[in-house]
Amino acid sequence: MITGEQQEKFKLIEGGNIGSAKGFKAGGLHCGIRKQKIDFGWFYSEVPAHAAGVYTTNAFQAAPLKVTQESIATEGKLQAVVVNSGIANACTGKQGLVDAYDMRKSFAEAVGVQEHLAAVASTGLIGELLPMDRIHKGISQINDTEHQGAEKFETAILTTDTHAKGIAIELEIDGESVVIGGAAKGSGMIHPNMATMLGFVTTDANIESSELSAALKSITNKSFNMITVDGDTSTNDMVLVLANGKAGNDKLSAKHEDWDKFYQGLKFVCEYLAKEIARDGEGASKLVEVTVDGSFSDESAAAIAKSIISSNLVKTAIHGADANWGRIITAIGYSGQSLDPDKVSIYLGDILVVENGVPHKFDEDEAKQYLLQDEVAIIAKLGDGNGKATAWGCDLSYEYVRINASYRT
């Protein structure tokens, strides 16, 4: 999972999670929004942490996003985050906003932080009000020892996900051990530019909010904004990063000699979480990675990669292990990007299927066996320039239809 080059910069922490960085704790419990599943989670720092966030591009931003953005805008810091699953508190009007503020205030009081240092997030059904009596019940139990643990938080934030998603890495900056950990949820309604997904990253690195925000925005465009499951962009979703400085390193900035090491570590954590979301797409059986190389620019390559990974016809072909490269060519062609069709070559893994815009003879059985694997790579080489980008998604299955045809029941 970590390449040789990455191993020189950081190492994976076995069993690492959002609570691995110094000064962070997390927990989760069942408050009764969902019938049986843990549905209420939180994490917090011992001290206020510099914070940064990115948010859904959907015009219908849910109430929790508005409250969280307001919290960060106050002084660029957060200390605690609370999340509920089951109900999104989206499209709920004035009452939804009142409830989100109430959730923030009560949570902040329970963990002993200033209200503007608390953030809230919700995920689940759109158009329903939060059951505030159950929310308050959950908040009242936050300090009980039985509900502590990052694995409980990872479970509490899930909706149709099939598994929890967490990671942590360790690196050395200024001779000090720095940890970056994270957790995420997401399975359906996933599309580039933030979708039905929540991502949370913690680090004990010493870094200002402005530098953290710039890094997060850049990295998001190469990770969370490069995944798709079904083409739908949701109302609720965001990625938050909190840095509490407990590692004791000199303040990080783009001028720091270890800046690239920190940036690559943060990128690795975000990319890992993004890929796990794509892998866990509703009804998915395969993780699909699309790499476009040789476009006129990185931005053009990214647009083409997204076009391929978003194509339902490509996704169904992958599900059926059908080496139908025509669907890939078509998705490249309608991406809206400039290219020379006579230079385009397509690979399924190591198998060349199109060379310079025309079919290349290949073994159909070999290609089918490759596409039956649970990880599939599509490589498009354009020959127009040096632009390169990678996107991630999944196949589109019968199970996806079943899940979403009965989502509310």
Side-chain angles (χ1 to χ4, degrees):
M1 185 168 59
I2 293 181
T3 66
E5 183 179 347
Q6 290 170 332
Q7 286 176 347
E8 296 178 2
K9 293 183 171 69
F10 50 82
K11 66 177 182 180
L12 188 68
I13 298 175
E14 186 175 353
N17 52 52
I18 198 167
S20 294
K22 288 180 283 293
F24 284 97
K25 296 181 180 179
L29 55 85
H30 176 247
C31 76
I33 299 175
R34 312 282 296 273
K35 288 184 178 179
Q36 296 178 315
K37 177 189 163 300
I38 292 178
D39 52 16
F40 192 78
W42 63 90
F43 68 93
Y44 60 91
S45 170
E46 294 174 353
V47 296
H50 290 281
V54 289
Y55 311 93
T56 181
T57 57
N58 195 303
F60 289 91
Q61 283 202 352
L65 271 73
K66 297 175 182 178
V67 173
T68 293
Q69 289 176 79
E70 179 187 286
S71 287
I72 293 180
T74 303
E75 56 177 306
K77 292 183 178 181
L78 291 174
Q79 192 170 351
V81 179
V82 63
V83 189
N84 76 272
S85 63
I87 293 178
N89 193 13
C91 300
T92 46
K94 292 181 180 179
Q95 187 58 50
L97 198 57
V98 168
D99 290 344
Y101 279 120
D102 184 8
M103 186 172 171
R104 180 180 72 169
K105 183 175 185 294
S106 299
F107 170 63
E109 291 174 351
V111 294
V113 306
Q114 296 180 66
E115 187 175 345
H116 72 276
L117 292 175
V120 293
S122 301
T123 183
L125 287 175
I126 293 171
E128 291 191 13
L129 292 171
L130 289 173
M132 293 307 295
D133 57 336
R134 299 174 195 175
I135 294 292
H136 286 296
K137 175 186 174 184
I139 291 172
S140 71
Q141 301 176 69
I142 280 176
N143 295 311
D144 295 352
T145 56
E146 64 183 294
H147 302 311
Q148 307 307 309
E151 71 285 350
K152 290 183 171 66
F153 173 80
E154 292 174 0
T155 302
I157 65 178
L158 306 181
T159 50
T160 56
D161 307 62
T162 64
H163 65 268
K165 305 164 181 67
I167 187 175
I169 62 169
E170 183 181 14
L171 55 153
E172 186 177 298
I173 295 177
D174 297 323
E176 304 291 346
S177 170
V178 170
V179 173
I180 305 173
K185 65 80 53 178
S187 186
M189 205 182 283
I190 303 292
H191 192 58
N193 299 318
M194 307 305 299
T196 293
M197 56 146 290
L198 297 173
F200 305 104
V201 177
T202 57
T203 179
D204 45 27
N206 180 13
I207 179 174
E208 293 284 347
S209 299
S210 56
E211 299 284 351
L212 193 62
S213 181
L216 177 61
K217 288 176 182 177
S218 170
I219 288 168
T220 295
N221 285 331
K222 301 171 184 175
S223 56
F224 295 110
N225 281 350
M226 292 300 290
I227 60 173
T228 187
V229 169
D230 49 23
D232 280 356
T233 301
S234 182
T235 55
N236 279 60
D237 306 312
M238 63 177 136
V239 175
L240 296 178
V241 181
L242 277 66
N244 66 12
K246 297 283 281 186
N249 60 284
D250 293 338
K251 191 172 293 182
L252 280 163
S253 72
K255 296 179 180 179
H256 192 291
E257 63 179 2
D258 287 330
W259 173 255
D260 184 64
K261 185 188 293 186
F262 174 78
Y263 181 92
Q264 293 301 325
L266 182 60
K267 180 174 179 284
F268 178 83
V269 168
C270 290
E271 191 174 282
Y272 172 87
L273 293 173
K275 288 167 69 174
E276 284 301 294
I277 290 170
R279 187 193 305 274
D280 198 26
E282 288 174 339
S285 63
K286 309 173 196 292
L287 172 68
V288 184
E289 180 178 275
V290 175
T291 299
V292 175
D293 193 3
S295 188
F296 287 112
S297 66
D298 289 347
E299 292 76 17
S300 176
I304 294 169
K306 289 179 185 179
S307 184
I308 297 170
I309 203 69
S310 300
S311 166
N312 283 340
L313 290 179
V314 171
K315 290 154 70 67
T316 51
I318 297 297
H319 180 72
D322 178 11
N324 190 344
W325 55 263
R327 295 180 176 182
I328 301 170
I329 286 288
T330 300
I332 293 172
Y334 64 61
S335 66
Q337 303 302 304
S338 296
L339 57 92
D340 184 345
D342 294 333
K343 294 180 180 179
V344 175
S345 296
I346 305 293
Y347 293 79
L348 300 175
D350 295 329
I351 304 169
L352 179 63
V353 295
V354 175
E355 185 174 22
N356 295 325
V358 296
H360 180 86
K361 188 175 181 180
F362 64 95
D363 186 321
E364 289 278 359
D365 289 337
E366 180 187 5
K368 184 176 183 65
Q369 288 303 310
Y370 174 73
L371 294 175
L372 285 170
Q373 298 181 134
D374 57 10
E375 292 191 13
V376 171
I378 298 172
I379 301 99
K381 296 187 177 181
L382 307 188
D384 293 321
N386 297 317
K388 186 175 182 179
T390 302
W392 298 273
C394 60
D395 56 333
L396 186 58
S397 69
Y398 306 105
E399 182 67 4
Y400 174 84
V401 177
R402 185 197 67 77
I403 291 170
N404 284 283
S406 57
Y407 185 78
R408 296 201 305 160
T409 56

